[in-house]
């Protein structure tokens, strides 16, 4: 199997956390890792946040790992040259339509959540957000002048059967690798696009995924249930707008945004392989860049998602996840998640500890 990974460390703490990911992948072995520039680093070197050559590398790779982009250094650039445009081009040109945002609470960090510990301990849910359609991209859109000082803003919520089915299929396939449950979220009670969403997801389940338990929920109720009883969910699939809101809500259930990975997937080809981009949810944190203070775990866990979803290396992904759990249980923390009585360590030390835990767990 081809295992070519394009590493795009990016800006700020991106290179530091990606260096620890590289150590983990080297320990597992079997990867051909290429490296490129994206974001502000690419602009400084080439005058663009993503070169055509790097984009071509991303399209050839079996998976792309990204660190972080952006920072105040580039705030004054024209919109088209801002670091974030490099990430957006990657998503667009790779046709990544399904965003995977897990909300996973490690036992050692359950007390960090703003919810009661018993509500979040053991939480492990996945939100699958449709990424390229819906109200963010629908036409017509814009602001028009109605005269007499009155203006009107218009955005259009629009979905087609094929857009709904392809993201729902990702959710059902993921559920089969988890607890085999999908909750489809929309507003079918007041929106025709939501009614279409509900009907098409149900139709797909009845045709191809009868082994998966499917439920439907309105988006406002889902938001309430996430903070009322979040462990009732396994996989949530929803549209672009609701996914944007619900995934950030779910992220804060964990109490630590800096621990969360993510993935964006494209359509499966004839061999079942998908274009995929994996990245931590956290930003570039330029205020601590280069100081060995960054927490690399979100990026390491993003690599674990890559092992699981791009390379079907479930055992290796489980090993990485368990190693991270062991490090947290041992009280080895960076400053962002350190608790009273613990001594914070640096980025490199976390990498050392994860590798040591992997060796111990694998009998190496």
């Amino acid at each position: 199997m081809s295992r070519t990974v394009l590493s795009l460390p990016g800006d700020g703490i991106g290179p530091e956390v990606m260096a620890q990911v590289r150590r983990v992948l080297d320990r597992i072995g079997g990867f051909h890792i290429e490296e490129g520039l994206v974001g502000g680093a690419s602009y400084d070197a080439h005058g663009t946040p993503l070169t055509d050559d790097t984009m071509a590398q991303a399209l050839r790779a079996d998976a792309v790992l990204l660190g972080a982009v952006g920072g105040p250094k580039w705030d004054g650039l024209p919109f088209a040259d801002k670091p974030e445009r490099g990430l957006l081009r990657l998503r667009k040109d790779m046709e990544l339509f399904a965003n995977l945002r897990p909300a996973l609470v490690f036992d050692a960090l359950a007390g960090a959540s703003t919810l009661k510990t018993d509500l979040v301990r053991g939480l492990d849910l996945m939100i699958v957000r449709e990424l390229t359609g819906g109200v963010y991209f629908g036409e017509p859109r814009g602001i028009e002048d109605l005269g007499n000082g009155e203006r009107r803003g218009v955005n259009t919520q629009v979905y087609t059967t094929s857009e709904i089915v392809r993201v729902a299929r990702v959710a059902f396939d993921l559920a089969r690798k988890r607890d085999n449950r999908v909750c489809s979220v929309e507003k079918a009670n007041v929106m025709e696009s939501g009614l279409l969403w509900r009907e098409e997801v149900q139709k797909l389940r009845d045709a191809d995924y009868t082994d998966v338990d499917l439920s439907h929920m309105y988006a406002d109720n889902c938001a309430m249930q996430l903070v009322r009883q979040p462990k009732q969910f396994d996989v949530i699939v929803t549209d672009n707008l609701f996914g944007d809101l619900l995934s950030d809500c779910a992220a804060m259930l964990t109490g630590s945004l800096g621990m969360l990975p993510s993935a964006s997937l494209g359509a499966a080809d004839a061999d079942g392989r998908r274009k995929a981009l994996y990245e931590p949810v956290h930003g570039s944190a330029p205020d601590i860049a280069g100081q060995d203070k960054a927490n690399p775990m979100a990026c390491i866990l993003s690599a674990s998602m890559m092992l699981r979803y791009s390379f079907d290396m479930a055992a290796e992904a489980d090993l990485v996840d368990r190693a991270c759990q062991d490090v947290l249980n041992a009280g080895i923390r960076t400053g962002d998640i350190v608790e009273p009585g613990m001594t914070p360590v640096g980025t490199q030390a976390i990498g050392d500890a994860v590798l040591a835990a992997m060796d111990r767990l694998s009998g190496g």
Side-chain angles (χ1 to χ4, degrees), residues 93-152:
D93 287 12
M94 293 174 71
E95 299 180 337
L96 307 176
F97 64 86
N99 181 236
L100 278 55
R101 286 277 296 270
L104 175 68
V105 175
F106 290 98
D107 286 347
L109 296 180
S113 176
T114 52
L115 269 64
K116 293 178 180 178
T117 302
D118 63 320
L119 289 179
V120 297
R121 188 182 300 278
L123 177 67
D124 181 5
L125 68 86
M126 177 75 76
I127 294 182
V128 180
R129 167 190 173 190
E130 200 289 321
L131 201 57
T132 59
V135 73
Y136 292 167
F137 295 95
E139 298 287 348
R141 62 184 296 156
I143 299 175
E144 56 183 314
D145 190 345
L146 302 179
N148 298 319
E150 191 80 8
R151 297 192 299 162
R152 177 167 56 195

Side-chain angles (χ1 to χ4, degrees), residues 60-243:
R60 289 193 302 267
D62 296 302
V64 177
L65 270 171
L66 187 140
V69 296
K73 176 182 178 181
W74 303 283
D75 282 350
L77 291 176
F79 182 76
D81 294 329
K82 288 186 178 295
E84 294 77 9
R85 303 307 296 177
L87 174 57
L88 293 176
R89 184 184 174 190
L90 282 166
R91 290 174 177 169
K92 179 178 182 295
D93 287 12
M94 293 174 71
E95 299 180 337
L96 307 176
F97 64 86
N99 181 236
L100 278 55
R101 286 277 296 270
L104 175 68
V105 175
F106 290 98
D107 286 347
L109 296 180
S113 176
T114 52
L115 269 64
K116 293 178 180 178
T117 302
D118 63 320
L119 289 179
V120 297
R121 188 182 300 278
L123 177 67
D124 181 5
L125 68 86
M126 177 75 76
I127 294 182
V128 180
R129 167 190 173 190
E130 200 289 321
L131 201 57
T132 59
V135 73
Y136 292 167
F137 295 95
E139 298 287 348
R141 62 184 296 156
I143 299 175
E144 56 183 314
D145 190 345
L146 302 179
N148 298 319
E150 191 80 8
R151 297 192 299 162
R152 177 167 56 195
V154 176
N155 290 93
T156 304
Q157 167 78 347
V158 56
Y159 273 106
T160 64
T161 295
S162 59
E163 288 175 319
I164 297 167
V165 166
R166 68 181 184 177
V167 73
R169 195 174 291 281
V170 170
F172 285 124
D173 288 340
L174 285 173
R176 281 178 167 169
K177 298 180 179 181
R178 294 170 51 91
D179 197 38
N180 228 34
R181 294 182 293 117
V182 172
C183 180
S184 177
V185 173
E186 24 64 13
K187 286 288 287 182
N189 55 335
V190 292
M191 298 172 67
E192 286 80 1
S193 61
L195 179 59
L196 177 69
W197 184 283
R198 178 173 292 214
E199 292 175 349
E200 295 297 341
V201 172
Q202 185 67 54
K203 202 183 306 183
L204 176 65
R205 184 266 178 190
D206 293 344
D208 295 343
Y209 296 93
T210 55
D211 58 308
V212 180
D213 180 38
L214 172 65
S215 60
H216 301 276
M217 189 175 288
Y218 297 145
D220 49 349
N221 185 31
C222 183
M224 181 181 72
Q225 295 298 330
L226 278 172
V227 295
R228 174 182 173 270
Q229 192 180 351
K231 286 187 284 187
Q232 68 182 280
F233 297 108
D234 179 28
V235 176
I236 295 172
V237 62
T238 189
D239 73 11
N240 206 341
L241 174 61
F242 297 141

Side-chain angles (χ1 to χ4, degrees), residues 1 128 168 191 215 253-254 323 354:
M1 176 189 293
V128 180
M191 298 172 67
S215 60
L253 298 176
T254 70
V354 170

